[in-house]
């Protein structure tokens, strides 16, 4: 196993494509820049396996680490390489609590390694079609002056500091908007480009109406389909999105290792930046 760098982003995208996943080079660049990539080289060329760890909180003692983009090349599947990679990564993280979003395909491996299912997220995708009365919460584009407030709100809701991710949003996303009430920021959301769609995330909001307003404002400014991963406990928001043209795509199991529940306030945490980053 070796550390991956930004120079490996094409090899990581090749590995995604090898397993039938989209290349998602834009996302790979972010994850490799903000997190730590791990890979196993294939003697025949390219990567045999890879994953990315995004750590949050103090640099020398993270509060939480998210493992994502766990991939094993098709020609190396069922040889124990994924298990070896995960064991080494978890061992390197030591006592740091870990989270990940598991597909049904990977669920049994993670359970074997000691991860526990604590929840689910549902991916929905489609062209957003406004219907009925629009949410009345005011939204606007985020400015540089908003960043300090966004960071404080995000840490309060997410449960630990992720400045190294959030400060990349203005360059990474096509849209970054905030919701306001009486001049106070009560939520924010980004929409970032991913192949033929815009992914909505992170989505942090005071309540469901605020989350709806942020999504509607993002949707009104793009012609592309939207995609997002919503915590299934936010039933009202999921129903509202499906009524407006976003179709169910898949479910991921939210899992943890070394911690019973995720930190922060799930009632205000509606969608992650990407499931790969927790």
């Amino acid at each position: 196993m070796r550390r991956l760098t930004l120079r490996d982003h094409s090899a990581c995208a090749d590995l995604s494509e090898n397993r039938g996943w989209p290349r998602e080079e834009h996302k790979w660049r972010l994850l490799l820049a903000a997190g730590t990539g791990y890979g196993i080289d294939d003697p025949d060329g390219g990567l045999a396996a890879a994953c990315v760890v995004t750590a949050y909180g103090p640099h020398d003692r993270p509060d939480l680490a998210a493992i994502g983009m766990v991939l094993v090349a098709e020609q190396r599947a069922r040889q124990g390489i994924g298990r070896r990679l995960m064991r080494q990564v978890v061992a390197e993280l030591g006592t740091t609590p870990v989270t990940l979003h598991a597909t049904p395909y990977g669920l049994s491996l993670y359970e074997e390694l000691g991860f526990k299912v604590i929840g689910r997220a549902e991916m929905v995708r489609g062209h957003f079609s406004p219907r009925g009365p629009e949410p009345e919460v005011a939204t606007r584009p985020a400015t540089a002056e908003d960043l300090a407030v966004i960071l404080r709100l995000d840490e309060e809701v997410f449960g630990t500091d992720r400045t190294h991710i959030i400060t990349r949003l203005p360059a990474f996303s096509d849209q970054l908007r905030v919701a306001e009430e009486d001049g106070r920021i009560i939520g924010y959301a980004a929409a970032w480009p991913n192949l033929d769609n815009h992914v909505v995330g992170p989505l942090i909001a005071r309540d469901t109406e605020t989350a709806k307003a942020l999504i509607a404002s993002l949707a009104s400014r793009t012609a592309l389909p939207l995609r997002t991963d919503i915590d299934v406990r936010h039933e009202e928001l999921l129903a509202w999105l499906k009524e407006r043209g976003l179709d169910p795509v898949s479910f991921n199991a939210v899992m943890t290792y070394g911690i019973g529940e995720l930190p922060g306030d799930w009632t205000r945490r509606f969608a992650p930046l990407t499931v790969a980053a927790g």
Side-chain angles (χ1 to χ4, degrees), residues 5 8 27 54 56 104 107 118 125 151 158 164 179 212 246:
T5 72
D8 293 300
K27 182 170 78 174
T54 310
Y56 301 108
L107 184 62
I118 62 162
R125 184 186 187 279
L151 287 169
F158 190 74
H164 62 307
K212 290 177 182 179
L246 274 67

Side-chain angles (χ1 to χ4, degrees), residues 114-134:
F115 284 81
K116 305 294 184 186
V117 176
I118 62 162
R120 290 200 306 165
E122 183 175 9
M123 179 191 292
V124 291
R125 184 186 187 279
H127 285 281
F128 182 91
S129 300
R131 293 179 189 169
E134 290 298 305

Side-chain angles (χ1 to χ4, degrees), residues 73-186:
E74 178 64 35
Q75 65 274 18
R76 300 297 178 186
R78 295 170 293 280
Q79 297 176 20
I81 293 175
R83 182 177 291 101
R84 172 189 163 195
L85 178 66
M86 284 294 297
R87 285 192 187 280
Q88 286 189 246
V89 169
V90 170
E92 186 162 316
L93 289 170
T95 58
T96 301
V98 184
T99 185
L100 58 78
H101 283 66
T103 65
Y105 179 80
L107 184 62
S108 61
L109 168 61
Y110 303 133
E111 288 179 328
E112 178 186 323
L113 295 173
F115 284 81
K116 305 294 184 186
V117 176
I118 62 162
R120 290 200 306 165
E122 183 175 9
M123 179 191 292
V124 291
R125 184 186 187 279
H127 285 281
F128 182 91
S129 300
R131 293 179 189 169
E134 290 298 305
E136 296 182 359
V137 180
T139 73
R140 61 169 174 81
T143 67
E145 289 72 28
D146 296 322
L147 188 56
V149 179
I150 289 172
L151 287 169
R152 286 197 297 272
L153 175 62
D154 187 82
E155 182 171 358
E156 178 184 330
V157 175
F158 190 74
T160 186
D161 178 62
R162 52 176 180 172
T163 297
H164 62 307
I165 286 283
I166 304 306
T167 52
R168 287 177 162 88
L169 285 179
F172 178 71
S173 60
D174 284 344
Q175 296 187 62
L176 180 60
R177 297 184 67 83
V178 296
E180 278 188 321
E181 182 181 76
D182 299 327
R184 183 172 62 93
I185 292 176
I186 57 173

